[in-house]
Amino acid sequence: MGLFPLAHATHPQWAVAAALVLAQLRAQLAARRGVEPGGASARAGTAEAEVPSLGLLYFTDHFSAHAQDMLDHFMAELPEVTDWAGTVGVGIAATGVEYIDEPALAVMLLDVPADQYRVFSGVAPLPAALAQASPSGFVAATALVHADPSTSDLPELLAELAQRTASGAVFGGVSSGRQGGVQLAHSSRGAMRGQGAATGVFRGGLSGVAFGAALGMVTRVTQGCTPIAPQRTITETDRHLVLTLDHQPALGVLLADLGVNLDEPQAAMARLRSTLVGLSPPSDAQAGSGPGLAAGLARRRGQLGGDVRVRHVIGLDPQREGVAVADTVAVGEGWVSCERNPEAARADLMRMCAELREDLESPEGTDAPRRVCGAVYVSCAGRGGPHFGHPHAELQWVRRALGDVPLIGWFAGGEVAGQQLYGYSGVLTVFVAPH
């Protein structure tokens, strides 16, 4: 596996942006083959390198209406690339660069063996169980997932998809765009019988690329919030409504943690509107050892653990003294009030990058550092340079950590890692060359 070819461009006309991207890709592919752009061999006796067969295409919502045209165009211009996946975002990411609220597209060609990936969609789903591997013997170890924001029961569908992988984990995010979600998923292996002709452009549901176990991949999550109160345990609920925290009325506990009361409603509501809630699995709410302890230590250092999902407070119930949040909650889950700010986001982004760099430089069981071939970064649509103080800031921090390696991604309406749907976070996945 070599460095993944990557190209990106911005232009008001999608065809011009595509031409710029194709020119960049062809130059990189020629360099891989040792051929000058004009076609002459640069190094005598150099064997032609194969063109990767898997492409990722991400584009901003300025081009949503042209998704089918773009996919058809790239398939025609790069016939060796037989499989495609991608989605739309209000912004897209490339190495060190972000395109937010401007017409742009990016393409990465993943130099991975053809027997180590499968493009999936509603007309070409992953097997329902690992025992039902494809006839070729392919078994999904993990998957890059693109999800439509209008899909009902999305957290449950993501968990079910993760269970179809050997690792029980997926990564990716939710499409974002002013015209709704658009997904690309064209598989050279076709679709299920009875599905008719698939165009490769989808709305609704899930799609993406599943990867085999032979590929080296590492995923990390960064959160952009700071805890502002002690951790609590949810002790009584009614779906989205938290009735008690630590066996005390939830509304009273929340107001006390924030230092406000309803006798001064304007000040209280202003404080509540700026407050988010970090929810963590029941094991994290208990004292003891294991992942829960690690996540608790992270919060004591002023950070949220990777297993915490951040949600909005969406309402109060003074009669029942409850607090409603934008998620279904369960007894035993951890609860911590937090706030979102650039300083917290920057600090946790640096933490994630440092941990990832350490993992790559000192992999377990070997003294040889691992070489990154490419990366996918999915960041919240509310992050990016504007949140970090200046354009491209977030992508530049990631670039400093990884080096000048190919990176592609989009700014999402929700981020996915493991089996969780996150908010206000960044999910970074790197592909590493085999030892």
Side-chain angles (χ1 to χ4, degrees), residues 25-313:
L25 290 174
R26 285 168 176 151
Q28 294 174 49
L29 292 171
R32 285 161 59 96
R33 295 193 300 264
V35 176
E36 298 291 351
S41 176
R43 297 189 300 274
T46 301
E48 284 198 4
E50 291 186 1
V51 176
S53 59
L54 174 62
L56 294 180
L57 169 57
Y58 295 124
F59 52 95
T60 61
D61 59 356
H62 294 72
F63 294 152
S64 290
H66 305 289
Q68 188 70 63
D69 294 331
M70 288 190 296
L71 178 59
D72 292 344
H73 183 70
F74 279 106
M75 290 175 61
E77 293 292 324
L78 297 171
E80 304 93 339
V81 184
T82 57
D83 299 270
W84 289 88
T87 195
V88 63
V90 293
I92 61 172
T95 305
V97 179
E98 63 189 29
Y99 298 98
I100 297 179
D101 199 25
E102 61 179 315
L105 60 87
V107 172
M108 177 184 280
L109 304 182
L110 277 64
D111 188 13
V112 299
D115 64 353
Q116 287 299 308
Y117 74 83
R118 293 291 184 276
V119 174
F120 66 91
S121 65
V123 300
L126 291 181
L130 294 177
Q132 301 173 3
S134 65
S136 65
F138 174 80
V139 175
T142 186
L144 166 62
V145 59
H146 306 129
D148 190 282
S150 64
T151 301
S152 60
D153 301 324
L154 184 55
E156 291 78 6
L157 288 177
L158 291 170
E160 194 270 339
L161 176 66
Q163 292 305 314
R164 300 188 183 203
T165 69
S167 67
V170 296
F171 65 96
V174 179
S175 305
S176 64
R178 282 157 288 200
Q179 290 80 44
V182 180
Q183 302 169 46
L184 308 180
H186 174 81
S187 173
S188 60
R189 296 169 177 83
M192 295 188 305
R193 293 183 60 182
Q195 294 297 323
T199 65
V201 177
F202 297 88
R203 290 182 181 270
L206 308 176
S207 67
V209 186
F211 296 99
L215 296 180
M217 302 171 66
V218 181
T219 296
R220 291 289 182 270
V221 180
T222 177
Q223 308 239 38
C225 298
T226 300
I228 56 176
Q231 179 166 309
R232 309 292 184 180
T233 299
I234 298 173
T235 48
E236 186 180 357
T237 70
D238 183 3
R239 290 181 57 80
H240 298 276
L241 190 65
V242 177
L243 296 172
T244 64
L245 294 168
D246 296 339
H247 302 286
Q248 300 296 319
L251 179 56
V253 173
L254 175 61
L255 294 175
D257 283 347
L258 300 181
V260 297
N261 61 73
L262 296 182
D263 293 334
E264 299 177 347
Q266 290 186 338
M269 294 309 298
R271 184 76 165 121
L272 286 166
R273 278 193 292 268
S274 66
T275 299
L276 301 165
V277 174
L279 302 171
S280 52
S283 60
D284 187 32
Q286 310 297 324
S289 60
L293 179 59
L297 291 173
R299 274 189 287 284
R300 284 195 288 274
R301 292 195 300 265
Q303 300 171 351
L304 295 179
D307 58 350
V308 176
R309 59 194 196 278
V310 177
R311 298 293 186 263
H312 282 287
V313 174

